[in-house]
């Protein structure tokens, strides 16, 4: 299960990760001893944020690994913690699909309470459709392990989350530093009867979605004089000899051969031979019709620079790349207050808005809630990603994404 840990800076994300890794015994003995030794030399007790730094240093040395991940194991399963080095990287990774989180832990400092980044991160968890969220109220030791301050912060965060139509699975009082309620139940908070962080994680069911066959063509090769098209199946399955449709045009194509298989299902990278020539950017599909359109309604978050009404950008959605123009920015949303401003001309860095896009030619999409990979896109300017968005075409007023 992939877990992302987010929250305001200094609220204890690294410490919590270190504690999770340490208390679940997921670190090799020698590693622990080394960290203990260094901590002693530095003159304080085991510093858990340090475990994470040490692991990070190690990973930096291993140039072959692209995405950095930390792992820990419970009796039930293995967890990979997805790194969220900074707010922008976090959003960028989520939008581009570099990270796929099954669950998120939102860390809030019990003493400082809900801060700007707490809200921003929570908003993006909702926006990006992270299915399960656990709230950890950390640093309980700083408020005397008392129930009252916990309840106050809990009320604040739960009420913000409610405003974006998100309800956390659990809200857990924790001291990551001392190890209370992270892996082991704490005796210092007898008033709390819920699960520890690992118990809460273990109780979550993985959400797997099933959908019709969708296969974006990524590349073509020639093997023994025969054209082979490769790519990742995003959803569904395909059999040798099957007739599928090729979008955006929608004509029929026979899958004559699947390399090294007669049947393949998502998630899988495959190579296929077909009766008609294909090219990068085409999407093969089966079953329901995808959304094929030149007009996109979307929620867009600006990652760098400015997004201007009337300007042209390149839209990329899986292997599709197409020029597009911003027709209108109908709304800007203040993530902190959830207030809205209508009819604006540009979105600046870190701003979010509702944007109408017109593509130069039709491209293939799905609703974000149906199939994330085809429901999200990035906008590029001179080859650089400057914004990310999710498709909201056909999303009704009462759908929670629209309300955002
Ligand atoms: P991050 O920026 O969210 O990753 O926060 P860190 O894990 O680096 O923690 C920031 C500071 O808070 C560090 O000095 C930690 O030692 C401290 N800290 C983290 N968790 C706790 C806790 O449970 N109790 C106390 N008292 N301090 C904590």
């Amino acid at each position: 299960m992939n877990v992302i840990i987010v929250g305001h800076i200094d609220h204890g994300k690294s410490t919590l990760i270190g504690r999770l890794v340490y208390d679940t015994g997921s670190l090799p003995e020698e590693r622990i001893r080394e960290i203990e030794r260094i901590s002693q030399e530095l003159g304080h007790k085991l510093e858990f944020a340090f475990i994470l730094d040490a692991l990070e240093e190690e990973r930096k040395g291993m140039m072959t690994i692209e995405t950095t991940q930390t792992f820990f194991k419970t009796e039930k399963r293995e967890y990979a913690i997805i790194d969220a080095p900074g707010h922008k990287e976090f959003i960028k990774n989520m939008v581009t699909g570099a990270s796929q989180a099954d669950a998120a832990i939102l860390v809030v400092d019990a003493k400082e309470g809900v801060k700007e980044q707490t809200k921003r991160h929570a908003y993006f968890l909702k926006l990006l459709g992270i299915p399960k969220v656990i709230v950890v109220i950390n640093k309980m030791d700083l408020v005397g392990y008392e129930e009252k301050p916990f309840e106050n912060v809990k009320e604040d965060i739960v009420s913000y989350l409610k405003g974006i139509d998100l309800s956390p699975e659990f809200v857990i009082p924790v001291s990551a530093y001392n190890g209370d309620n992270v892996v082991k139940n704490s005796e210092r908070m007898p008033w709390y009867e819920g699960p520890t962080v690992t118990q809460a994680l273990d109780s979550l069911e993985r959400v797997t979605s099933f959908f019709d066959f969708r296969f974006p063509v990524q590349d073509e090769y020639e093997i023994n004089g025969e054209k082979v098209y490769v790519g990742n199946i995003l959803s569904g399955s395909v059999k040798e000899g099957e007739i599928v449709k090729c979008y955006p045009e929608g004509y029929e194509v026979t899958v004559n051969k699947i390399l090294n298989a007669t049947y393949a299902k998502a998630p899988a990278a495959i190579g296929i031979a077909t009766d008609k020539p294909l090219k990068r950017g085409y999407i093969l599909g089966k079953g329901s019709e995808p959304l094929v359109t030149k007009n996109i309604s979307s929620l867009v978050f600006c990652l760098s620079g400015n997004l201007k009404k009337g300007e042209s950008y390149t839209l990329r959605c899986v292997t599709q790349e197409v020029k597009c123009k911003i027709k209108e920015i109908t709304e800007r949303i203040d993530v902190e207050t959830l207030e809205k401003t209508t009819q604006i001309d540009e979105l600046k860095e870190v701003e979010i808005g509702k944007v109408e896009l017109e593509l130069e030619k039709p491209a293939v999409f799905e609703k974000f809630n149906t199939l994330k990979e085809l429901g999200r896109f990035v906008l590029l300017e001179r080859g650089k990603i400057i914004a990310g968005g999710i498709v909201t075409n056909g999303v009704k007023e009462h759908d929670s994404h629209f309300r955002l």
Side-chain angles (χ1 to χ4, degrees), residues 162-267:
K162 204 167 163 214
I164 56 172
D165 201 25
L166 209 161
S167 77
E169 308 288 322
F170 302 96
V171 183
I172 310 174
V174 157
S175 167
Y177 197 79
N178 294 331
D180 296 281
N181 288 338
V182 178
V183 176
K184 297 172 207 150
N185 282 101
S186 170
E187 279 160 20
R188 296 185 182 110
M189 291 175 273
W191 47 266
Y192 174 74
E193 285 169 350
T196 65
V197 176
T198 46
Q199 285 163 358
L201 285 169
D202 280 350
S203 78
L204 301 179
E205 294 297 330
R206 252 191 99 160
V207 180
T208 44
S209 50
F210 297 95
F211 191 62
D212 300 329
F213 177 62
R214 297 290 187 261
F215 175 74
V217 176
Q218 195 173 318
D219 231 327
E220 61 173 78
Y221 293 98
E222 212 168 282
I223 301 175
N224 301 330
E226 189 179 35
K227 280 246 158 52
V228 170
Y229 303 100
V230 300
N232 289 301
I233 310 182
L234 301 179
S235 62
S237 63
V238 64
K239 283 198 294 275
E240 214 167 75
E242 204 162 24
I243 296 170
V244 298
K245 278 188 175 176
C246 179
Y247 298 99
E249 276 87 353
Y251 54 81
E252 290 189 338
V253 167
T254 306
V255 179
N256 287 332
K257 196 154 91 184
I258 304 172
L259 285 195
N260 305 320
T262 52
Y263 168 85
K265 75 177 206 311

Side-chain angles (χ1 to χ4, degrees), residues 6-17 47-49 52 107 109 138-142 145 174-179:
V6 295
H8 198 76
I9 184 155
D10 279 347
H11 282 196
K13 296 180 294 295
S14 310
T15 308
L16 179 67
I17 296 171
E47 177 70 70
F48 285 94
L52 193 72
V107 180
D109 188 315
N138 187 35
K139 306 196 189 181
M140 284 303 294
D141 53 298
L142 296 184
Y145 291 106
V174 157
S175 167
Y177 197 79
N178 294 331

Side-chain angles (χ1 to χ4, degrees), residues 270-291:
I270 57 166
I272 56 169
T274 50
D275 66 335
K276 296 191 186 96
L278 305 175
K279 64 177 187 200
R280 180 181 167 87
Y282 284 179
I283 315 273
L284 297 187
K286 222 169 61 179
S288 61
E289 290 288 319
L291 174 68

Side-chain angles (χ1 to χ4, degrees), residues 84-99:
H87 183 60
K88 268 210 251 169
E89 286 83 355
F90 157 63
I91 294 162
K92 198 163 155 184
N93 286 351
M94 299 295 299
V95 178
T96 55
S99 322

Side-chain angles (χ1 to χ4, degrees), residues 41-71:
E41 276 172 21
L42 293 172
H44 47 69
K45 78 176 192 181
L46 197 50
E47 177 70 70
F48 285 94
F50 183 71
I51 295 181
L52 193 72
D53 292 343
L55 291 170
E56 224 140 64
E57 281 308 311
E58 185 171 300
R59 286 182 312 219
K60 273 186 204 142
M62 305 196 297
M63 299 305 283
T64 48
I65 297 175
E66 270 180 25
T67 47
T68 57
Q69 286 191 328
T70 309
F71 298 92

Side-chain angles (χ1 to χ4, degrees), residues 8 11 108-109 112-120 336:
H8 198 76
H11 282 196
V108 192
D109 188 315
E112 277 205 5
V114 175
K115 301 289 267 197
E116 191 226 328
Q117 269 176 38
T118 317
K119 292 182 177 176
R120 277 193 176 275
E336 218 176 320

